[in-house]
């Protein structure tokens, strides 16, 4: 065993016992043996007691801080106001004010304050009118009864690439195993291709999923709705009288001929705020679907399409139910952020 290994700091009780035995005339070696404390430690505690009259830790022990509280608060204010400010920029500003602090000290200060460096989340570019519309939507619907949301048919389109993007996946590997086949993501010169899907779901489960061939135009979109909406409403057991169709404001959805076609159907359409993917819970299902498909490593677009339909059908109804049960939280978050993007 390494004799140089540091022992734990002695408790106040042991220190007092050392002094008590010393006062009673016990020698250093005897005290050391009785309390299982090194002789040098016994001597140090007794000497400290003779000089300072206490066995407690004295103030000023430990590593001296390199910045005072005022500088620390200044650093935190800088980053709180401008989260993208780098430690080098902070260092320069402090130096201009007469405070010399290392880059490492700034990092430590921020870390201790819970301000860790993170990649910024990607969110839609929200203009003032978008925020206003989102806030109005949230306030208008936040008190809707749960039954209303249970009868909404949520719809959307997504694109699934044949090969997952490397930044969307993680592998656990050793340092020298980077290029083992199991730890790599295949890529091809001009991309592997992708398939666009239209899908829908409700609180009771997933509805139809249809692949989109070529570029989808407004007439193609109307055909998808014709083939899938009422079939999904029946499959999912939505109320025929009170079910609601949700769709975003994609140009194909809001095109004049599409709007006329929808009016002819007499369906109730949920008025949707633009730039609001965080308000559509189907986004969570798309993410789950993509990862499930990529885990099966499709080698061509036909396989990708097949796997997507199989995995969509496997999504449990409980997952869909939980997304809708917690939907009010989305609206509350939008209100709290005054229309800005939320974690959803």
């Amino acid at each position: 065993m390494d004799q140089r290994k540091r022992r734990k700091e002695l408790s106040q009780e042991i220190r007092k016992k050392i002094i008590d035995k010393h006062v009673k005339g016990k020698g250093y070696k005897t005290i050391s043996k009785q309390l299982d404390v090194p002789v040098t430690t016994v001597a140090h505690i007794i000497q400290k007691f003779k000089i300072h009259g206490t066995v407690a830790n004295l103030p000023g022990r430990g590593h001296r801080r390199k910045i005072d509280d005022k500088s620390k608060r200044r650093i935190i204010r800088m980053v709180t106001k401008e989260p993208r400010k780098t430690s080098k920029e902070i260092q320069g500003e402090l130096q201009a004010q007469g405070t010399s602090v290392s880059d490492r000290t700034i990092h430590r200060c921020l870390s201790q304050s819970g301000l860790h460096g993170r990649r910024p989340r990607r969110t839609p570019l929200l203009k003032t009118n978008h925020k206003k519309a989102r806030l109005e939507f949230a306030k208008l619907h936040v008190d809707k009864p749960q039954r209303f949301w249970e009868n909404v048919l949520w719809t959307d389109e997504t694109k699934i690439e044949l090969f997952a993007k490397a930044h969307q996946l993680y592998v656990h590997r050793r340092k020298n195993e980077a290029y083992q086949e199991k730890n790599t993501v295949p890529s091809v010169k001009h991309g592997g291709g992708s398939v666009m899907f239209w899908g829908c779901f409700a609180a009771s489960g997933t509805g139809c999923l249809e692949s989109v061939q070529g570029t989808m135009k407004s007439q193609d979109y109307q055909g998808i709705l014709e083939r899938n909406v009422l079939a999904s409403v029946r499959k999912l057991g939505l109320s025929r009288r009170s079910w609601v169709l949700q769709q975003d404001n994609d140009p194909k959805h809001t095109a004049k001929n599409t709007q006329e076609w929808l009016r002819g159907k007499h369906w109730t359409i949920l008025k949707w705020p633009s730039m609001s993917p965080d308000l559509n819970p189907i986004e969570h299902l798309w993410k789950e679907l993509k990862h499930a498909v990529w885990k099966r490593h499709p080698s061509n677009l036909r396989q990708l399409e097949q796997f997507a339909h199989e995995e969509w059908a496997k999504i449990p109804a409980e997952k869909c139910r939980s997304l809708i049960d917690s939907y009010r939280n989305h609206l509350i978050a939008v209100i709290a952020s005054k229309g800005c993007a939320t974690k959803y």
Side-chain angles (χ1 to χ4, degrees), residues 35-313:
L35 298 178
D36 190 27
V37 176
V39 176
T40 54
T41 303
V42 171
H44 174 75
I45 290 173
I46 293 172
Q47 187 67 18
K48 177 181 176 180
F49 182 78
K50 287 178 179 179
I51 297 172
H52 300 286
T54 180
V55 293
N57 291 335
L58 298 175
R61 296 172 76 249
H63 186 71
R64 187 179 296 275
R65 290 197 304 167
K66 294 187 177 181
I67 55 174
D68 57 19
D69 289 337
K70 186 177 179 181
S71 297
K72 186 175 180 180
R73 288 195 298 271
R74 190 182 303 158
I75 291 170
I76 293 169
R77 278 199 305 271
M78 287 182 192
V79 174
T80 303
K81 188 177 180 181
E82 298 180 53
R84 297 183 187 182
K85 190 179 286 293
T86 66
S87 56
K88 290 290 184 185
E89 291 171 340
I90 295 171
Q91 187 181 31
E93 288 190 28
L94 290 175
Q95 205 155 11
Q97 296 168 3
T99 304
S100 182
V101 182
S102 71
D103 186 55
R104 188 174 178 182
T105 299
I106 292 170
H107 275 292
R108 189 186 303 115
C109 168
L110 293 173
S111 181
Q112 289 171 351
S113 303
L115 295 166
H116 305 287
R118 296 285 188 267
R119 288 184 179 180
R121 298 294 173 89
R122 293 183 177 275
T123 59
L125 179 60
L126 296 174
K127 298 179 181 178
T128 304
N129 60 312
H130 296 140
K131 296 175 187 177
K132 183 180 178 182
R134 285 164 53 82
L135 188 57
E136 287 176 355
F137 176 87
K139 288 181 176 180
L140 184 64
H141 293 87
V142 70
D143 292 323
K144 286 280 187 182
Q146 187 63 22
R147 183 65 181 164
F148 173 83
W149 300 114
E150 290 172 356
N151 275 297
V152 173
L153 185 70
W154 303 90
T155 72
D156 194 24
E157 296 92 25
T158 194
K159 180 170 70 173
I160 304 182
E161 296 174 339
L162 182 58
F163 298 125
K165 292 181 179 177
H167 70 266
Q168 293 174 318
L169 298 175
Y170 292 91
V171 293
H172 297 283
R173 61 170 176 79
R174 293 186 173 85
K175 189 175 181 180
N176 60 346
E177 296 178 347
Y179 288 93
Q180 288 187 10
E181 188 174 358
K182 64 181 181 180
N183 295 328
T184 62
V185 176
S187 62
V188 292
K189 200 166 186 178
H190 302 290
S194 60
V195 178
M196 178 74 76
F197 291 92
W198 175 94
C200 63
F201 92 105
S204 50
T206 54
C208 298
L209 181 74
E210 182 171 325
S211 59
V212 179
Q213 305 301 323
T215 303
M216 183 166 61
K217 299 177 181 177
S218 57
Q219 291 84 356
D220 302 316
Y221 178 65
Q222 294 161 27
I224 288 173
L225 297 183
E226 183 72 59
R227 291 188 293 274
N228 296 287
V229 167
L230 291 182
S232 296
V233 168
R234 289 191 293 269
K235 174 190 173 185
L236 299 171
L238 304 186
S239 170
R240 290 191 177 185
R241 291 185 177 182
S242 58
W243 74 273
V244 177
L245 176 69
Q246 180 277 334
Q247 61 174 7
D248 61 27
N249 294 324
D250 183 281
K252 296 180 290 294
H253 307 171
T254 58
K256 187 176 179 180
N257 59 354
T258 299
Q259 291 300 305
E260 290 176 358
W261 183 87
L262 286 169
R263 280 193 290 272
K265 290 294 181 181
H266 304 291
W267 296 342
T268 302
I269 311 296
L270 184 62
K271 188 177 179 182
W272 194 250
S274 298
M275 310 293 281
S276 300
D278 56 338
L279 284 173
N280 192 347
I282 200 172
E283 296 292 343
H284 295 273
L285 298 187
W286 287 145
K287 183 178 180 181
E288 190 169 310
L289 176 66
K290 289 175 183 179
H291 282 282
V293 169
W294 287 332
K295 279 182 181 178
R296 295 179 64 176
H297 307 293
S299 57
N300 54 58
L301 296 180
R302 183 176 295 178
Q303 271 194 348
L304 186 151
E305 188 175 339
Q306 176 191 335
F307 293 167
H309 280 93
E310 291 172 359
E311 296 300 329
W312 183 253

